[in-house]
Amino acid sequence: MTTDVIQKIKINDIYLDEKNPRLPTSVSRKQNDMILYISRNTSITELMTAIAENDYFPGEPIVVVPRTQGGYWAVEGNRRLTALKLLRDPSLYPKNTRVAEIAANATFKPDEVPCVVFGVREEVINYLGYRHITGVKQWEPLAKARYIAQYLDSQTNKQSSAMERYKEVARGIGSQGPYIKRQLDALAVFRHMEAKGFYRIDSLTEESVSFSLLSTAVGYESILKYLSSDENPYLNPAALDDQAVENFATWLFLKNDEGETVLGDSRNIQRLAVIVQDADALKVLVEDRNFTKAFALTKGVSIEFNDLLVEISQKMADAMAAVALIELDDGHIAKIGDIMKLARALRAVAEDPK
């Protein structure tokens, strides 16, 4: 159970969390390597300065759980712990003169820090979910997905149905089942890409991949079906089709000489969902990587054209309603003439496409 009071614990007795969902899998879980990664990838010197000048703010206790080897894991507060450790031992970030300078001139170098102690990691799960998944200090998308996976794996009944487990996670962290499923589906695809070395796509790494784009895409049923023969690929990763995942990764992330991807704008995800349902369109996309040509073969282009006509018609009706309220000038008249010419041309093309 959680203790009722905040305890002061020696900084040397607290260890950075090896299961921190914010750490890339490529980062070694050795303490010094984790300290270096956090130091290099966060504004650690700003935090060090704040503590060095004002002391540690007791209103932000570190959340810890006991280690079987002795001491505690910092389940919440790894960046703060890193700053504290560097203040006491700047050599943990070697050759960084700014870190050494802050440590040398520090007014405060705490040797202990306020902590909330939980008996086991599982007791912290709900707290972290509320704070970092749906709360005010939200993690980046990939870290959220990893946390959700940890929760699903450790806190739900593996004998229950997939949707029951998703709902159980959602209840625990204050979210919704479909959101949980989408994050886990995307994580399954991400892990497959990662295991394949991101298909050797230039500059594509864990840090550069857009996880939010993945989660948006797999939220479309047709795209998920294209990628996986099982609707729950996180629970059955073997159901993912490697060739389909490679195609998908290429369309989304491989850039040409102009820095453009096959998908182009992320808003084209909806069009991709239409393409993968059409065998002919999909064949063109796979073989030619021509997104516009592939989409033109689908019914989606006709639907979009109809939607465009409806929008134009509504805008024309709005203009008719407004014309009596304004004093028309020559510019207005010229624009109306241009619209009439375009309308006649559109009508002519519609009646005789040749």
Side-chain angles (χ1 to χ4, degrees):
M1 296 295 292
T2 312
T3 56
D4 295 328
V5 296
I6 293 175
Q7 301 181 35
K8 290 286 190 74
I9 297 178
K10 295 288 186 182
I11 292 167
N12 288 341
D13 290 336
I14 309 173
Y15 296 80
L16 273 68
D17 188 15
E18 295 178 348
K19 296 183 179 180
N20 183 351
R22 302 186 73 182
L23 288 178
T25 55
S26 58
V27 175
S28 162
R29 264 39 183 182
K30 293 179 180 178
Q31 289 293 305
N32 285 4
D33 290 339
M34 290 189 285
I35 287 173
L36 279 175
Y37 177 83
I38 293 173
S39 300
R40 289 168 176 165
N41 291 276
T42 68
S43 51
I44 200 67
T45 54
E46 294 177 10
L47 182 55
M48 287 180 65
T49 300
I51 298 172
E53 294 179 355
N54 305 295
D55 207 354
Y56 190 87
F57 178 54
E60 286 283 349
I62 292 176
V63 178
V64 302
V65 295
R67 297 168 77 239
T68 55
Q69 311 96 313
Y72 300 86
W73 292 117
V75 181
E76 163 77 2
N78 283 263
R79 179 169 168 263
R80 282 170 278 151
L81 179 60
T82 297
L84 289 165
K85 287 182 177 290
L86 289 174
L87 277 174
R88 299 195 61 78
D89 184 4
S91 68
L92 293 171
Y93 193 177
K95 299 181 180 179
N96 188 295
T97 55
R98 180 59 181 152
V99 167
E101 178 185 350
I102 295 170
N105 298 311
T107 303
F108 298 97
K109 290 185 179 181
D111 65 351
E112 57 183 17
V113 64
C115 297
V116 176
V117 182
F118 283 77
V120 292
R121 181 181 295 271
E122 286 70 24
E123 292 181 351
V124 196
I125 291 290
N126 286 5
Y127 165 78
L128 292 179
Y130 280 119
R131 185 173 175 84
H132 297 301
I133 307 299
T134 57
V136 295
K137 290 195 173 183
Q138 295 192 22
W139 284 331
E140 59 275 14
L142 180 55
K144 287 183 181 182
R146 283 178 170 151
Y147 165 81
I148 288 170
Q150 287 180 7
Y151 194 119
L152 183 90
D153 294 341
S154 66
Q155 298 292 101
T156 64
N157 185 352
K158 292 180 173 58
Q159 304 305 315
S160 300
S161 69
M163 190 50 66
E164 286 174 346
R165 296 179 70 186
Y166 300 152
K167 289 180 179 177
E168 189 175 345
V169 175
R171 286 192 296 269
I173 66 175
S175 185
Q176 297 181 339
Y179 171 80
I180 299 301
K181 180 185 187 304
R182 188 167 67 252
Q183 301 310 302
L184 292 170
D185 291 344
L187 184 60
V189 174
F190 171 85
R191 286 179 172 175
H192 189 96
M193 291 168 49
E194 184 180 40
K196 296 292 182 176
F198 295 104
Y199 297 104
R200 299 170 298 283
I201 296 174
D202 287 345
S203 302
L204 189 61
T205 65
E206 176 176 332
E207 287 86 353
S208 65
V209 70
S210 173
F211 189 81
S212 58
L213 184 60
L214 286 181
S215 62
T216 298
V218 299
Y220 287 89
E221 183 179 359
S222 60
I223 293 178
L224 186 61
K225 283 185 176 180
Y226 171 67
L227 297 171
S228 173
S229 59
D230 190 315
E231 64 179 2
N232 298 295
Y234 178 79
L235 298 176
N236 182 18
L240 287 166
D241 184 315
D242 181 58
Q243 186 59 63
V245 175
E246 181 175 3
N247 291 339
F248 178 68
T250 299
W251 300 332
L252 267 61
F253 301 117
L254 180 64
K255 296 180 180 179
N256 60 19
D257 293 338
E258 286 73 44
E260 299 172 341
T261 63
V262 171
L263 178 70
D265 195 291
S266 60
R267 289 173 293 185
N268 283 330
I269 286 290
Q270 187 173 3
R271 291 181 171 183
L272 179 62
V274 176
I275 291 172
V276 296
Q277 296 181 86
D278 186 297
D280 293 333
L282 180 59
K283 186 172 185 291
V284 168
L285 187 60
V286 170
E287 295 180 354
D288 298 345
R289 295 186 181 179
N290 189 320
F291 194 90
T292 301
K293 182 179 178 182
F295 184 69
L297 295 175
T298 71
K299 294 180 180 179
V301 68
S302 176
I303 294 171
E304 284 192 359
F305 182 69
N306 183 72
D307 291 343
L308 180 60
L309 293 178
V310 170
E311 182 181 357
I312 292 172
S313 179
Q314 183 59 55
K315 294 293 185 183
M316 291 293 291
D318 292 343
M320 286 290 293
V323 71
L325 304 177
I326 62 174
E327 184 176 344
L328 296 176
D329 58 27
D330 291 343
H332 293 134
I333 299 299
K335 287 184 175 66
I336 292 171
D338 291 340
I339 291 170
M340 291 177 64
K341 290 177 183 177
L342 287 171
R344 284 195 294 268
L346 180 61
R347 179 65 179 266
V349 171
E351 291 177 346
D352 185 7
K354 296 182 180 179

